[in-house]
Amino acid sequence: MANTNGGLIILGVDELNHELVITGVENADKIIKDFWSILNGEKVNRNILKDEDLEIIEINNKSVIKINIPRAYYKDKPIFINGNPYKGTFKRNYEGDYKCSEEEINAMIRDASEQGGDSKILEGYDIDDVDINTLKRYRNKFGVVNPDHIWNELSDKEFLVQLGSISKDRRTKIEGLTLAGLLMFGKGLSIREAYPYINLDFRDQRNINDEVRWNDRVTIDGTWENNLYNFYTMVIPKLTEGLKVPFYMENLTRIDDTLVHKALREAFVNCIIHGDYNIQGTLKIIRHKDHYEFSNAGNLKISKEDIFSGGNSKSRNPKIQSALRMIGLGENIGSGFPTILKAWNQQHWRIPQLEENIKLNTVTLNMWMVSLIPKECLDELRNMYGEKFDTLGELEVLAVVTAYLEGCVTNSRLQTICNNHPNDITKVLYSLVKNKFLKIEGYGRGSVYYISSESNEKSEFKENEIDYSIKITDEENKIIEFIKSNGFINRSLSEEKLGFKKNKNLNLCNSLIRKGVIKKVGTSNKIKYMLVHDDKKDASLK
């Protein structure tokens, strides 16, 4: 838990069917004493708990022990047992505990260094591995932003030294490009030789269908020098092109560079400077019709709570961050994410969704350009659940809407868009699962909730109430035709063969279920959809 997002250990409580049952523990004081002895002994490499993290609670004359495990500070990781980080380091995800790989442990050790991962000198790489045209464009921008800076008079090599892109180890006398220098300004071939697993990918997917997977794309294809500076300058205009955000006036001057434009630049820069380029992964930027998606390899160095509150900045690549800031990219330290939140709040859009996938070692920021509870979403949910939906309270509606719009919802996500206590949110989510509005995967803090179609199947639809003359849409017909040829369809097949993402597929299949055309078979990740074999229903499709 300490190596991920922390968590709670409750001794003396069992969970049955999402209900807590108090069983109590014997000798609570002795258990706590033994626990502290283990933490302060040689079993664990570092004790990060405080006295207030352990508490004995008396409930119905039974003792319950609550142990709060905080998320370890990045300088304290990895937390491990039995004296060997490579054999005793574990992480927690919603499926349980698993032993960390050597790559994950090395990433934690790198992150613990204040120097960052991009100051590493790459032996054998020098200024000949720099793309001069990229460096020239950067220096031109630097000169515009800093016209009187003394670095403008330096040679290319001296300039790169001052920027931290070339460095020398005074002990070994080894001199060469740093990781920051190679990634920012390097030739594509040199970058791929040093880090063959790095990938850069931008896709415009605003108007895709089953025949068009993207409308525009920038990826490593040999047509450009694939360094970070080129990637940023090529992609940023594509993110803001046609962006429908009203301009504002300042001293009678029209300002087109709005807070939303600044927020998109900030999100892009954050994606670059927080990426872990020492592990396999993709720096991915996708422009969807209703939101932007920014994703990078690596986990968060600080908690989401600290990121949302601002005032903290622990860049994984401080040299790259500095190089970008020198040309006016990136807010002051710790103010970047609040800038994003301010811009989205100004437009009354849903609060951006920051998610960390511990298992895949990725961080994804989704910036939704839709209102908190869009009317069309409410209409669709009422259509799905009928009168039952109107019985839900405000927080319940917010949870269901979020699961519908964003594909899933978690307790931590709801905490960012409402003021309710986490315990109250948990109760609401469990209630929605019990009443078949949501389905749950995972346990505890790893619980993820998805829209459930079971509520539709068990709602009070009667055979004679189904209107079989309802028109089948073109997209629904694609589902039907695929099932006819393949026998069934599931989420992965829908995305791979028809181009329908998870939410789209769920909506289409739920619609066809309500129309009595298909049925759901299986549970959890084994769900598939098949045709309902009924002459009357088949005839209505002709």
Side-chain angles (χ1 to χ4, degrees):
M1 290 181 177
N3 287 322
T4 49
N5 290 317
L8 282 176
I9 297 175
I10 306 293
L11 304 179
V13 176
D14 286 338
E15 185 177 5
L16 299 174
N17 298 321
H18 303 300
E19 296 288 340
L20 299 180
V21 178
I22 307 300
T23 57
V25 297
E26 301 292 336
N27 300 319
D29 289 328
K30 182 178 184 304
I31 292 174
I32 287 182
K33 181 180 179 181
D34 292 343
F35 186 77
W36 281 120
S37 296
I38 293 173
L39 285 182
N40 294 319
E42 297 181 356
K43 181 71 174 179
V44 184
N45 70 309
R46 184 177 287 108
N47 176 18
I48 62 171
L49 272 64
K50 301 176 183 178
D51 289 341
E52 55 266 31
D53 288 322
L54 272 74
E55 182 181 2
I56 299 176
I57 304 172
E58 296 295 332
I59 304 176
N60 298 331
N61 296 319
K62 296 180 180 180
S63 297
V64 173
I65 298 176
K66 183 178 78 171
I67 306 173
N68 176 57
I69 310 295
R71 180 186 180 120
Y73 193 51
Y74 70 94
K75 286 185 178 181
D76 294 331
K77 293 180 182 180
I79 304 296
F80 56 90
I81 59 174
N82 299 329
N84 188 333
Y86 292 98
K87 292 184 178 181
T89 301
F90 293 82
K91 277 187 176 183
R92 178 84 177 174
N93 64 19
Y94 70 87
E95 295 174 343
D97 302 321
Y98 70 93
K99 185 177 178 181
C100 292
S101 66
E102 182 176 342
E103 184 181 74
E104 290 175 307
I105 297 165
N106 288 337
M108 285 188 255
I109 294 172
R110 286 195 304 270
D111 284 347
S113 170
E114 289 289 13
Q115 291 184 340
D118 63 346
S119 60
K120 175 184 176 182
I121 299 173
L122 304 176
E123 192 170 352
Y125 288 81
D126 54 29
I127 196 169
D128 290 336
D129 294 292
V130 171
D131 177 54
I132 298 303
N133 288 328
T134 302
L135 180 59
K136 182 179 179 180
R137 287 193 297 274
Y138 177 87
R139 295 200 64 172
N140 287 340
K141 181 68 174 178
F142 183 94
V144 171
V145 176
N146 310 281
D148 301 320
H149 204 290
I150 59 174
W151 292 0
N152 288 321
E153 306 300 322
L154 299 177
S155 67
D156 283 346
K157 181 177 180 180
E158 291 170 333
F159 181 82
L160 290 171
V161 169
Q162 294 296 330
L163 207 59
S165 296
I166 290 180
S167 188
K168 181 177 181 179
D169 187 319
R170 294 182 180 275
R171 183 178 61 83
T172 64
K173 308 301 181 184
I174 294 176
E175 181 181 70
L177 277 179
T178 60
L179 175 58
L182 181 65
L183 291 179
M184 275 290 288
F185 309 115
K187 296 175 181 176
L189 180 60
S190 299
I191 293 173
R192 295 193 297 276
E193 287 176 345
Y195 293 91
Y197 35 75
I198 287 179
N199 192 26
L200 308 174
D201 193 15
F202 162 77
R203 298 195 300 272
D204 184 340
Q205 297 185 174
R206 284 177 291 174
N207 297 293
I208 60 173
N209 53 49
D210 56 328
E211 296 180 354
V212 179
R213 296 173 60 191
W214 60 79
N215 310 118
D216 190 12
R217 190 175 191 184
V218 177
T219 190
I220 299 175
D221 57 6
T223 62
W224 58 287
E225 297 291 359
N226 49 275
N227 54 58
L228 291 178
Y229 186 67
N230 279 343
F231 186 60
Y232 177 86
T233 55
M234 292 170 68
V235 169
I236 196 64
K238 299 177 184 292
L239 289 183
T240 57
E241 179 185 11
L243 184 61
K244 296 179 181 179
V245 180
F247 64 87
Y248 68 97
M249 302 297 291
E250 185 176 289
N251 298 326
L252 300 180
T253 302
R254 172 172 166 161
I255 306 297
D256 292 301
D257 188 32
T258 67
L259 268 179
V260 172
H261 291 79
K262 293 177 182 178
L264 289 172
R265 291 198 296 270
E266 186 64 32
F268 200 163
V269 169
N270 281 346
C271 198
I272 290 173
I273 67 176
H274 293 301
D276 190 341
Y277 302 104
N278 289 280
I279 64 176
Q280 187 170 1
T282 299
L283 183 67
K284 181 174 63 177
I285 318 292
I286 301 179
R287 186 175 183 180
H288 299 276
K289 187 175 182 179
D290 58 357
H291 71 285
Y292 292 89
E293 178 183 341
F294 297 85
S295 180
N296 62 264
N299 296 132
L300 297 174
K301 290 188 70 172
I302 60 177
S303 69
K304 285 195 284 186
E305 291 76 15
D306 288 336
I307 293 171
F308 272 78
S309 62
N312 295 284
S313 179
K314 302 299 178 184
S315 169
R316 184 169 277 115
N317 301 288
K319 300 293 185 185
I320 294 175
Q321 182 181 28
S322 177
L324 291 171
R325 185 173 291 133
M326 292 296 287
I327 56 172
L329 299 177
E331 292 288 327
N332 294 327
I333 293 176
S335 63
F337 208 82
T339 296
I340 295 173
L341 296 178
K342 181 180 179 181
W344 252 239
N345 182 62
Q346 185 185 74
Q347 298 299 320
H348 304 290
W349 288 335
R350 295 181 68 82
I351 293 175
Q353 175 189 11
L354 182 65
E355 294 296 333
E356 179 182 32
N357 190 316
I358 299 296
K359 190 172 183 179
L360 298 179
N361 286 321
T362 59
V363 173
T364 300
L365 174 66
N366 285 300
M367 299 169 66
W368 300 89
M369 297 183 295
V370 293
S371 61
L372 197 60
I373 304 181
K375 180 181 181 302
E376 56 272 21
C377 177
L378 291 176
D379 292 341
E380 178 60 26
L381 288 170
R382 287 192 179 98
N383 187 36
M384 287 174 61
Y385 297 116
E387 295 180 357
K388 191 176 179 181
F389 181 75
D390 291 321
T391 65
L392 298 179
E394 182 179 349
L395 181 55
E396 291 173 316
V397 170
L398 185 60
V400 175
V401 167
T402 301
Y404 177 83
L405 285 175
E406 300 179 7
C408 66
V409 65
T410 62
N411 190 305
S412 61
R413 173 55 174 159
L414 283 178
Q415 289 177 49
T416 66
I417 54 181
C418 71
N419 296 318
N420 299 76
H421 192 277
N423 290 343
D424 295 329
I425 294 174
T426 297
K427 292 176 183 177
V428 164
L429 290 171
Y430 278 175
S431 174
L432 290 169
V433 170
K434 185 176 181 179
N435 291 305
K436 308 299 183 183
F437 285 97
L438 300 177
K439 61 181 180 181
I440 183 174
E441 292 185 7
Y443 305 93
R445 289 194 178 186
S447 298
V448 181
Y449 301 83
Y450 301 91
I451 287 290
S452 172
S453 60
E454 290 184 36
S455 178
N456 308 332
E457 296 171 358
K458 296 181 181 180
S459 60
E460 297 181 1
F461 285 122
K462 296 180 181 179
E463 189 70 17
N464 58 11
E465 292 178 330
I466 299 175
D467 184 359
Y468 295 114
S469 64
I470 292 176
K471 181 181 168 86
I472 302 296
T473 68
D474 291 341
E475 290 179 330
E476 290 172 346
N477 198 52
K478 289 177 181 178
I479 295 276
I480 295 168
E481 292 302 319
F482 185 85
I483 296 177
K484 284 182 178 179
S485 62
N486 189 64
F488 71 92
I489 195 168
N490 56 25
R491 191 176 74 188
S492 59
L493 284 174
S494 180
E495 180 172 352
E496 179 184 351
K497 302 298 184 181
L498 302 180
F500 296 146
K501 296 294 185 181
K502 177 181 177 180
N503 245 8
K504 185 75 169 178
N505 176 64
L506 181 62
N507 295 340
L508 291 172
C509 288
N510 282 341
S511 175
L512 288 170
I513 287 173
R514 290 194 302 275
K515 295 174 182 179
V517 178
I518 67 173
K519 60 184 177 181
K520 186 180 75 170
V521 179
T523 59
S524 189
N525 61 347
K526 295 182 180 180
I527 289 176
K528 59 184 179 180
Y529 300 90
M530 303 174 67
L531 290 177
V532 175
H533 297 295
D534 188 304
D535 294 338
K536 182 179 179 182
K537 295 167 187 173
D538 289 341
S540 70
L541 301 178
K542 296 178 181 178

